[in-house]
Amino acid sequence: MKTKAISFRLGDQEISAQLQSQVKRSDLYGRTAKVVTDKDGKSLSTGVLTQEGRLLEKTQFAGLSVDETGSFNGSAQYVCDGEKVEAKPASFKEARELEKVSLDALNEFAVEAVYPIESETDLAAGLYATTFNYTQSVEPKDCLILVEEENQSYLLTGRRLEFSNVGKAVIYNLFDEGEEAEEEEDADFDFGDAF
Amino acid sequence: MEREFYLSFEGKDARIFLQPPRPKTREIKRVSPNNLDLSSVRITNGLNALPATEETIEAMRQGDPEIDLQSIGGILDTTTRAYYDPDTKEVATSFQVYNVVLNPDGSEKERKPFTPRHQNTNHESNPVKVGKLVPRDALFRKFVISGAFQLVHADGVQYEFLHGIAKTLEDRNHAALLGAGAKGNAPLVFQENGRPMRCALTGEVEGENYKLLILLLGQELKLPADRREDA
């Protein structure tokens, strides 16, 4: 199993570990693909029809970033509140700080990627918070590392969610209109044997 | 996405509201070197899609029919999806859609005609049922939480209902598994043709205030079978 060396800092202690490749949902349960066929069973390809009625294949158009003048030369920059944001190196190139947190932090955290991790340094079981970016990035992801004594440990990247306690009076947040339906996928697990 | 949520707990049910998490306060955006906001557009690249025929091959020997100089750089505004024969490049006027279920190794498990998944979190007669209670810590260690929504009330009766559920869950330090459908064991579908999701409910109370969250369980926290053998 190919792994990547990664390190962290917990106070004065340097923690070294090996990060395995991501475990995706499809690795566990497979996935569902949509196939379109004609009446004879021949697979059809997907393209787009322009307003003029012209058919375009996916290879016939490309995405481009433009400013209000219609185009731009050079590389894009990143800003936040008017200040330029520099990219941070990948997590494998610097040791990020770890902070021990309660397991309850997982209650308000949306995980986007799961990586099995093996610590080479003694690290007490529990949950640790840090940031993580697999490649250079202007916005590293929030990250929680679940360290287990007996079972596999995992590095979970994603983002912290924020919810407020609700009193008797409620201020409603509206959903964004026009959300697209997600790609459909079978939920191939149930709770039968879990508990 | 449907904002109402029909929930049943210990014989009582109510239609309450779903609320998403608060949006990020810190937004990073891309700008050009002139500090102008960037937006994404689609443009045509001037390539002609030609059928793979002898005529095409002969035409390419004589000239460049694969390039359409008139259409290079055209901005695509409103388009509609179309299915076409990859050999003849003709738009299909009738077609069938199948869902192909693939195993983790990529092999085909089964193929069935596409059937739309209907939203079931605000069904007219089948509420989402609060089922088995499980230790909170065990839930966090067994499942990957891929998202969450908050349940909120709109009137006093709903407030008592939700506050009561949150207090029950907190007092027992447990989460509750949720199930939709007539039997209360189906995954939740939050919008038409949305992904079916296994979900759990967690609750916290602070005096009169409460926080009741629906956690979306994306996958189990475990290694795939082939990697467990290697480990």
Side-chain angles (χ1 to χ4, degrees), chain B residues 99-171:
Chain B
N99 280 341
V100 178
V101 181
L102 302 171
N103 291 311
D105 63 4
S107 60
E108 186 172 319
K109 184 177 170 184
E110 67 171 317
R111 178 178 290 231
K112 49 191 178 184
F114 170 79
T115 48
R117 290 194 195 278
H118 296 297
Q119 179 262 342
N120 63 10
T121 52
N122 190 30
H123 194 266
E124 56 184 21
S125 55
N126 296 324
V128 172
K129 294 184 178 63
V130 176
K132 187 177 174 182
L133 296 188
V134 299
R136 237 169 103 117
D137 286 3
L139 183 89
F140 294 149
R141 289 193 155 92
K142 277 187 181 289
F143 294 100
V144 174
I145 295 158
S146 58
F149 296 111
Q150 185 169 18
L151 289 175
V152 297
H153 61 275
D155 61 39
V157 173
Q158 292 173 5
Y159 166 80
E160 298 292 340
F161 178 64
L162 294 181
H163 190 278
I165 298 174
K167 189 155 192 335
T168 299
L169 293 176
E170 187 183 62
D171 286 348

Coordinates of all heavy atoms in Angstrom, one line a residue, chain B residues 99-171:
Chain B
N99 N -30.1 2.6 -15.2 CA -29.1 2.7 -14.1 C -28.3 1.4 -14.1 O -28.9 0.4 -13.9 CB -29.8 2.9 -12.7 CG -30.3 4.3 -12.5 OD1 -29.8 5.2 -13.2 ND2 -31.2 4.5 -11.6
V100 N -27.0 1.6 -14.2 CA -26.1 0.4 -14.1 C -25.4 0.4 -12.8 O -24.7 1.4 -12.5 CB -25.1 0.5 -15.3 CG1 -24.1 -0.7 -15.2 CG2 -25.8 0.5 -16.6
V101 N -25.7 -0.6 -12.0 CA -25.0 -0.7 -10.6 C -23.7 -1.4 -10.8 O -23.7 -2.5 -11.3 CB -26.0 -1.4 -9.6 CG1 -25.3 -1.5 -8.3 CG2 -27.3 -0.7 -9.6
L102 N -22.6 -0.7 -10.3 CA -21.3 -1.3 -10.5 C -20.8 -1.7 -9.1 O -21.0 -1.0 -8.1 CB -20.4 -0.2 -11.1 CG -20.8 0.3 -12.5 CD1 -19.9 1.5 -12.9 CD2 -20.7 -0.8 -13.5
N103 N -20.1 -2.8 -9.1 CA -19.4 -3.3 -7.9 C -18.2 -2.4 -7.6 O -17.7 -1.7 -8.5 CB -18.9 -4.7 -8.0 CG -20.1 -5.7 -8.1 OD1 -21.0 -5.6 -7.2 ND2 -20.1 -6.5 -9.1
P104 N -17.6 -2.5 -6.4 CA -16.4 -1.7 -6.1 C -15.3 -1.9 -7.0 O -14.5 -1.1 -7.3 CB -16.0 -2.1 -4.7 CG -17.3 -2.5 -4.0 CD -18.1 -3.1 -5.2
D105 N -15.2 -3.1 -7.6 CA -14.1 -3.4 -8.6 C -14.5 -2.9 -10.0 O -13.7 -3.1 -10.9 CB -13.8 -4.9 -8.6 CG -14.9 -5.8 -9.1 OD1 -16.0 -5.2 -9.5 OD2 -14.8 -7.0 -9.0
G106 N -15.6 -2.3 -10.2 CA -16.0 -1.8 -11.5 C -16.8 -2.7 -12.3 O -17.3 -2.3 -13.4
S107 N -17.0 -4.0 -11.9 CA -17.8 -4.9 -12.7 C -19.2 -4.6 -12.5 O -19.7 -4.0 -11.5 CB -17.5 -6.3 -12.3 OG -17.8 -6.5 -10.9
E108 N -20.0 -4.9 -13.6 CA -21.5 -4.6 -13.5 C -22.2 -5.6 -12.6 O -22.0 -6.8 -12.8 CB -22.0 -4.7 -15.0 CG -23.5 -4.2 -15.0 CD -23.9 -4.1 -16.5 OE1 -23.2 -3.6 -17.3 OE2 -25.1 -4.5 -16.7
K109 N -23.0 -5.1 -11.7 CA -23.8 -5.9 -10.8 C -25.2 -6.2 -11.4 O -25.6 -7.3 -11.4 CB -23.8 -5.3 -9.5 CG -24.5 -6.1 -8.4 CD -24.4 -5.3 -7.1 CE -25.3 -5.9 -6.0 NZ -25.3 -5.1 -4.8
E110 N -25.8 -5.1 -11.8 CA -27.1 -5.2 -12.4 C -27.4 -4.0 -13.2 O -26.8 -2.9 -13.0 CB -28.2 -5.5 -11.4 CG -28.5 -4.3 -10.4 CD -29.7 -4.5 -9.6 OE1 -30.7 -5.0 -10.1 OE2 -29.7 -4.2 -8.4
R111 N -28.4 -4.1 -14.1 CA -28.8 -3.0 -14.9 C -30.3 -2.9 -14.9 O -31.0 -3.9 -15.1 CB -28.3 -3.3 -16.4 CG -28.7 -2.2 -17.4 CD -28.1 -2.6 -18.7 NE -26.7 -2.4 -18.7 CZ -26.0 -1.7 -19.7 NH1 -26.6 -1.1 -20.6 NH2 -24.7 -1.6 -19.6
K112 N -30.9 -1.8 -14.6 CA -32.3 -1.6 -14.5 C -32.8 -0.3 -15.1 O -32.0 0.7 -15.1 CB -32.8 -1.8 -13.1 CG -32.0 -0.9 -12.1 CD -32.4 -1.3 -10.6 CE -31.5 -0.5 -9.7 NZ -31.7 -0.8 -8.3
P113 N -34.0 -0.2 -15.6 CA -34.5 1.0 -16.2 C -34.5 2.1 -15.1 O -34.8 1.8 -13.9 CB -35.9 0.7 -16.6 CG -35.9 -0.8 -16.8 CD -35.0 -1.3 -15.8
F114 N -34.2 3.3 -15.5 CA -34.2 4.5 -14.6 C -35.6 4.7 -14.0 O -36.5 4.7 -14.8 CB -33.7 5.7 -15.3 CG -33.8 7.0 -14.6 CD1 -32.9 7.3 -13.6 CD2 -34.9 7.8 -14.8 CE1 -33.1 8.5 -12.9 CE2 -35.1 9.0 -14.1 CZ -34.2 9.3 -13.1
T115 N -35.6 4.8 -12.7 CA -36.9 5.2 -12.1 C -36.6 6.4 -11.2 O -35.6 6.4 -10.5 CB -37.5 4.1 -11.2 OG1 -36.5 3.6 -10.4 CG2 -38.1 3.0 -12.1
P116 N -37.4 7.5 -11.3 CA -37.0 8.7 -10.5 C -37.2 8.4 -9.0 O -38.1 7.6 -8.7 CB -38.1 9.7 -11.1 CG -39.1 8.9 -11.7 CD -38.6 7.6 -12.2
R117 N -36.3 9.0 -8.3 CA -36.5 8.9 -6.8 C -37.3 10.0 -6.3 O -36.9 11.2 -6.6 CB -35.1 8.9 -6.1 CG -34.3 7.6 -6.4 CD -33.1 7.6 -5.5 NE -32.1 6.6 -5.9 CZ -32.2 5.3 -5.7 NH1 -33.2 4.8 -5.0 NH2 -31.3 4.5 -6.1
H118 N -38.3 9.8 -5.6 CA -39.2 10.8 -5.1 C -38.8 11.3 -3.7 O -38.4 10.5 -2.8 CB -40.6 10.4 -5.1 CG -41.1 10.1 -6.5 ND1 -41.2 11.0 -7.4 CD2 -41.6 8.9 -7.0 CE1 -41.7 10.5 -8.6 NE2 -41.9 9.2 -8.3
Q119 N -38.9 12.6 -3.5 CA -38.6 13.1 -2.2 C -39.5 12.5 -1.2 O -40.7 12.3 -1.4 CB -38.8 14.7 -2.3 CG -38.6 15.4 -1.0 CD -39.9 15.7 -0.3 OE1 -40.9 15.7 -0.8 NE2 -39.7 16.0 1.0
N120 N -39.0 12.1 0.0 CA -39.8 11.4 1.0 C -39.7 12.0 2.4 O -40.1 11.3 3.4 CB -39.4 9.9 1.0 CG -38.0 9.6 1.5 OD1 -37.3 10.5 1.9 ND2 -37.6 8.4 1.3
T121 N -39.1 13.1 2.5 CA -39.0 13.7 3.8 C -40.1 14.6 4.2 O -40.2 15.1 5.4 CB -37.7 14.6 3.9 OG1 -37.7 15.5 2.8 CG2 -36.4 13.7 3.8
N122 N -41.1 14.8 3.3 CA -42.3 15.6 3.6 C -43.5 14.9 2.9 O -44.3 15.5 2.3 CB -42.2 17.0 3.2 CG -43.3 17.9 3.7 OD1 -43.8 17.6 4.8 ND2 -43.7 18.9 3.0
H123 N -43.5 13.6 3.1 CA -44.6 12.8 2.4 C -45.9 13.1 3.0 O -46.0 13.5 4.2 CB -44.3 11.3 2.6 CG -45.1 10.4 1.8 ND1 -46.3 9.8 2.2 CD2 -44.8 9.9 0.5 CE1 -46.7 9.1 1.2 NE2 -45.9 9.1 0.2
E124 N -47.0 13.0 2.2 CA -48.3 13.4 2.7 C -48.8 12.5 3.9 O -49.6 13.0 4.7 CB -49.3 13.4 1.6 CG -49.5 12.1 0.8 CD -50.4 12.2 -0.4 OE1 -50.6 13.4 -0.8 OE2 -50.9 11.2 -0.8
S125 N -48.4 11.3 3.9 CA -48.9 10.4 4.9 C -47.8 9.6 5.7 O -48.1 9.1 6.8 CB -49.9 9.4 4.4 OG -49.3 8.7 3.3
N126 N -46.6 9.5 5.2 CA -45.6 8.7 5.9 C -44.5 9.6 6.4 O -43.6 10.1 5.7 CB -44.9 7.7 4.9 CG -45.9 6.7 4.4 OD1 -46.7 6.2 5.1 ND2 -45.7 6.3 3.2
P127 N -44.5 9.9 7.7 CA -43.5 10.7 8.3 C -42.1 10.0 8.4 O -42.1 8.8 8.3 CB -44.0 11.0 9.7 CG -44.8 9.9 10.1 CD -45.5 9.4 8.8
V128 N -41.1 10.7 8.5 CA -39.8 10.1 8.8 C -39.8 9.7 10.3 O -40.1 10.5 11.1 CB -38.6 11.2 8.5 CG1 -37.3 10.6 9.0 CG2 -38.6 11.5 7.1
K129 N -39.5 8.5 10.5 CA -39.6 8.0 11.9 C -38.3 8.0 12.6 O -37.2 7.6 12.0 CB -40.2 6.5 11.8 CG -41.6 6.5 11.3 CD -42.2 5.1 11.4 CE -43.6 5.1 10.9 NZ -43.8 5.4 9.5
V130 N -38.4 8.4 13.9 CA -37.2 8.3 14.7 C -37.1 6.9 15.2 O -38.0 6.4 15.9 CB -37.3 9.3 15.9 CG1 -36.1 9.1 16.8 CG2 -37.4 10.7 15.4
G131 N -36.1 6.2 14.9 CA -36.0 4.7 15.2 C -35.1 4.5 16.4 O -35.1 5.1 17.4
K132 N -34.2 3.5 16.1 CA -33.3 3.0 17.2 C -32.4 4.1 17.7 O -31.8 4.9 17.0 CB -32.5 1.8 16.6 CG -31.7 1.0 17.6 CD -31.0 -0.1 16.9 CE -30.0 -0.8 17.8 NZ -29.3 -1.9 17.1
L133 N -32.2 4.1 19.1 CA -31.2 5.0 19.7 C -29.9 4.2 19.8 O -29.8 3.1 20.1 CB -31.7 5.4 21.1 CG -33.0 6.2 21.1 CD1 -33.2 6.7 22.5 CD2 -33.0 7.4 20.1
V134 N -28.8 5.0 19.4 CA -27.5 4.4 19.5 C -26.6 5.3 20.2 O -26.8 6.6 20.2 CB -26.9 4.1 18.1 CG1 -27.8 3.1 17.3 CG2 -26.8 5.4 17.3
P135 N -25.5 4.8 20.9 CA -24.6 5.8 21.6 C -24.0 6.7 20.6 O -23.6 6.4 19.5 CB -23.6 4.8 22.2 CG -24.2 3.5 22.3 CD -25.2 3.4 21.1
R136 N -23.9 8.0 21.0 CA -23.4 9.1 20.1 C -22.0 8.8 19.7 O -21.7 8.9 18.5 CB -23.5 10.4 20.9 CG -24.3 11.5 20.3 CD -24.4 12.6 21.2 NE -23.5 13.7 20.9 CZ -23.9 14.9 20.6 NH1 -25.2 15.2 20.5 NH2 -23.1 15.9 20.4
D137 N -21.2 8.4 20.6 CA -19.8 8.2 20.3 C -19.6 7.0 19.3 O -18.8 7.1 18.4 CB -19.0 7.9 21.6 CG -18.7 9.1 22.4 OD1 -19.2 10.2 22.0 OD2 -18.0 9.0 23.4
A138 N -20.4 6.0 19.5 CA -20.4 4.9 18.6 C -20.8 5.3 17.2 O -20.2 4.8 16.2 CB -21.3 3.7 19.1
L139 N -21.8 6.2 17.0 CA -22.2 6.7 15.7 C -21.0 7.4 15.1 O -20.7 7.2 13.9 CB -23.4 7.6 15.9 CG -24.0 8.1 14.6 CD1 -25.0 7.2 14.0 CD2 -24.5 9.5 14.7
F140 N -20.3 8.3 15.8 CA -19.3 9.1 15.2 C -18.1 8.2 14.8 O -17.4 8.5 13.9 CB -18.7 10.1 16.3 CG -19.8 11.2 16.6 CD1 -19.8 11.8 17.8 CD2 -20.7 11.6 15.7 CE1 -20.7 12.7 18.2 CE2 -21.6 12.6 16.0 CZ -21.6 13.1 17.2
R141 N -17.9 7.0 15.5 CA -16.8 6.2 15.2 C -17.1 5.2 14.0 O -16.2 4.6 13.4 CB -16.4 5.4 16.4 CG -15.7 6.2 17.5 CD -15.0 5.3 18.5 NE -13.9 6.0 19.2 CZ -14.1 6.7 20.3 NH1 -15.2 6.7 20.9 NH2 -13.0 7.3 20.8
K142 N -18.4 5.0 13.8 CA -18.8 4.0 12.8 C -19.1 4.6 11.4 O -19.0 3.9 10.4 CB -20.0 3.2 13.2 CG -19.7 2.1 14.2 CD -20.9 1.2 14.4 CE -20.6 0.1 15.4 NZ -19.8 -1.0 14.7
F143 N -19.5 5.9 11.4 CA -20.0 6.5 10.2 C -19.3 7.8 9.9 O -18.8 8.5 10.8 CB -21.5 6.7 10.2 CG -22.3 5.5 10.3 CD1 -22.8 5.0 11.5 CD2 -22.6 4.8 9.1 CE1 -23.6 3.9 11.5 CE2 -23.3 3.6 9.2 CZ -23.8 3.1 10.4
V144 N -19.2 8.1 8.6 CA -18.7 9.4 8.1 C -19.8 10.3 7.9 O -20.8 10.0 7.1 CB -17.9 9.2 6.8 CG1 -17.5 10.5 6.2 CG2 -16.7 8.3 7.0
I145 N -19.8 11.5 8.6 CA -20.9 12.4 8.4 C -20.6 13.4 7.3 O -19.6 14.1 7.4 CB -21.1 13.2 9.8 CG1 -21.6 12.2 10.8 CG2 -22.1 14.3 9.6 CD1 -21.3 12.6 12.2
S146 N -21.4 13.4 6.3 CA -21.0 14.2 5.1 C -21.8 15.5 5.0 O -21.5 16.3 4.1 CB -21.3 13.4 3.8 OG -22.7 13.0 3.8
G147 N -22.7 15.7 5.9 CA -23.4 17.0 6.0 C -24.4 17.0 7.1 O -24.6 16.0 7.8
A148 N -25.1 18.1 7.3 CA -26.1 18.2 8.4 C -27.1 19.3 8.1 O -26.8 20.3 7.4 CB -25.4 18.4 9.7
F149 N -28.3 19.1 8.6 CA -29.3 20.2 8.6 C -29.8 20.3 10.0 O -29.7 19.4 10.8 CB -30.5 19.8 7.7 CG -30.2 19.6 6.2 CD1 -30.2 18.4 5.6 CD2 -29.8 20.8 5.5 CE1 -29.9 18.3 4.3 CE2 -29.5 20.6 4.2 CZ -29.5 19.4 3.6
Q150 N -30.4 21.5 10.3 CA -31.0 21.7 11.6 C -32.5 21.7 11.5 O -33.1 22.2 10.5 CB -30.5 23.1 12.1 CG -30.9 23.4 13.5 CD -30.2 24.6 14.1 OE1 -29.7 25.4 13.4 NE2 -30.2 24.7 15.4
L151 N -33.1 21.1 12.5 CA -34.6 21.1 12.6 C -35.0 22.3 13.4 O -34.5 22.5 14.5 CB -35.1 19.8 13.1 CG -35.0 18.6 12.3 CD1 -35.5 17.3 13.0 CD2 -35.8 18.8 11.0
V152 N -36.0 23.1 12.9 CA -36.4 24.3 13.7 C -38.0 24.3 13.7 O -38.6 23.7 12.8 CB -35.9 25.6 13.1 CG1 -34.4 25.6 13.3 CG2 -36.3 25.8 11.7
H153 N -38.5 25.0 14.6 CA -40.0 25.1 14.7 C -40.5 26.4 14.2 O -39.8 27.3 13.9 CB -40.3 25.0 16.2 CG -39.8 26.1 17.0 ND1 -38.5 26.1 17.5 CD2 -40.3 27.3 17.4 CE1 -38.3 27.3 18.2 NE2 -39.4 28.0 18.1
A154 N -41.9 26.4 14.0 CA -42.5 27.6 13.6 C -43.6 28.0 14.5 O -44.2 29.1 14.4 CB -43.1 27.4 12.2
D155 N -44.0 27.2 15.5 CA -45.0 27.6 16.5 C -44.7 26.9 17.8 O -43.7 26.1 17.9 CB -46.4 27.3 16.0 CG -46.6 25.8 15.8 OD1 -46.1 25.0 16.5 OD2 -47.3 25.5 14.8
G156 N -45.4 27.2 18.8 CA -45.2 26.7 20.2 C -45.3 25.2 20.3 O -44.5 24.6 21.0
V157 N -46.3 24.6 19.6 CA -46.5 23.2 19.7 C -45.2 22.5 19.1 O -44.7 21.5 19.7 CB -47.8 22.8 19.0 CG1 -47.9 21.2 19.0 CG2 -49.0 23.3 19.7
Q158 N -44.8 23.0 18.0 CA -43.6 22.4 17.4 C -42.4 22.6 18.2 O -41.5 21.7 18.3 CB -43.4 23.0 16.0 CG -44.4 22.7 15.0 CD -44.2 23.4 13.7 OE1 -43.2 24.2 13.5 NE2 -45.1 23.3 12.7
Y159 N -42.3 23.7 18.9 CA -41.2 24.0 19.8 C -41.1 22.9 20.9 O -40.1 22.3 21.2 CB -41.3 25.4 20.4 CG -40.4 25.6 21.6 CD1 -39.0 25.9 21.4 CD2 -40.8 25.5 22.9 CE1 -38.2 26.1 22.5 CE2 -40.0 25.6 24.0 CZ -38.7 25.9 23.8 OH -37.8 26.1 24.8
E160 N -42.3 22.7 21.5 CA -42.3 21.7 22.6 C -41.9 20.3 22.1 O -41.2 19.5 22.7 CB -43.7 21.6 23.2 CG -44.2 22.8 23.9 CD -43.4 23.2 25.2 OE1 -42.8 22.3 25.7 OE2 -43.5 24.4 25.6
F161 N -42.4 20.0 20.9 CA -42.1 18.7 20.3 C -40.6 18.5 20.0 O -40.0 17.5 20.5 CB -42.8 18.6 18.9 CG -42.6 17.3 18.1 CD1 -43.0 16.1 18.6 CD2 -42.0 17.4 16.9 CE1 -42.8 14.9 17.8 CE2 -41.8 16.3 16.1 CZ -42.2 15.0 16.6
L162 N -40.0 19.5 19.4 CA -38.5 19.4 19.1 C -37.7 19.5 20.3 O -36.7 18.8 20.5 CB -38.2 20.5 18.1 CG -38.8 20.3 16.7 CD1 -38.3 21.5 15.7 CD2 -38.5 19.0 16.1
H163 N -38.0 20.4 21.2 CA -37.2 20.6 22.5 C -37.3 19.3 23.2 O -36.3 18.8 23.8 CB -37.8 21.7 23.3 CG -36.9 22.1 24.5 ND1 -37.0 21.4 25.7 CD2 -36.0 23.1 24.6 CE1 -36.1 21.9 26.5 NE2 -35.5 23.0 25.9
G164 N -38.4 18.6 23.2 CA -38.6 17.3 23.9 C -37.7 16.2 23.3 O -37.0 15.4 24.0
I165 N -37.6 16.2 22.0 CA -36.8 15.2 21.3 C -35.3 15.4 21.7 O -34.5 14.5 22.0 CB -37.0 15.2 19.8 CG1 -38.4 14.8 19.4 CG2 -36.0 14.2 19.1 CD1 -38.7 15.0 18.0
A166 N -34.9 16.7 21.6 CA -33.5 17.1 21.8 C -33.1 16.7 23.3 O -32.0 16.2 23.5 CB -33.3 18.6 21.6
K167 N -34.0 17.0 24.2 CA -33.7 16.7 25.6 C -33.6 15.2 25.8 O -32.7 14.7 26.6 CB -34.8 17.2 26.5 CG -34.5 17.2 28.0 CD -35.2 18.2 28.8 CE -34.7 18.3 30.2 NZ -34.0 17.1 30.8
T168 N -34.5 14.4 25.2 CA -34.4 12.9 25.3 C -33.1 12.4 24.8 O -32.4 11.6 25.5 CB -35.6 12.3 24.5 OG1 -36.8 12.7 25.0 CG2 -35.5 10.8 24.6
L169 N -32.7 12.9 23.7 CA -31.4 12.5 23.1 C -30.2 12.9 24.0 O -29.3 12.1 24.2 CB -31.3 13.0 21.7 CG -32.3 12.5 20.7 CD1 -32.1 13.1 19.3 CD2 -32.2 10.9 20.5
E170 N -30.3 14.1 24.5 CA -29.1 14.6 25.3 C -29.1 13.8 26.6 O -28.0 13.4 27.0 CB -29.2 16.1 25.5 CG -28.0 16.6 26.2 CD -28.0 18.0 26.6 OE1 -28.9 18.4 27.4 OE2 -27.2 18.8 26.1
D171 N -30.2 13.6 27.2 CA -30.2 12.9 28.5 C -29.6 11.6 28.4 O -28.9 11.1 29.3 CB -31.6 12.9 29.1 CG -32.1 14.2 29.6 OD1 -31.3 15.1 29.7 OD2 -33.4 14.3 29.8

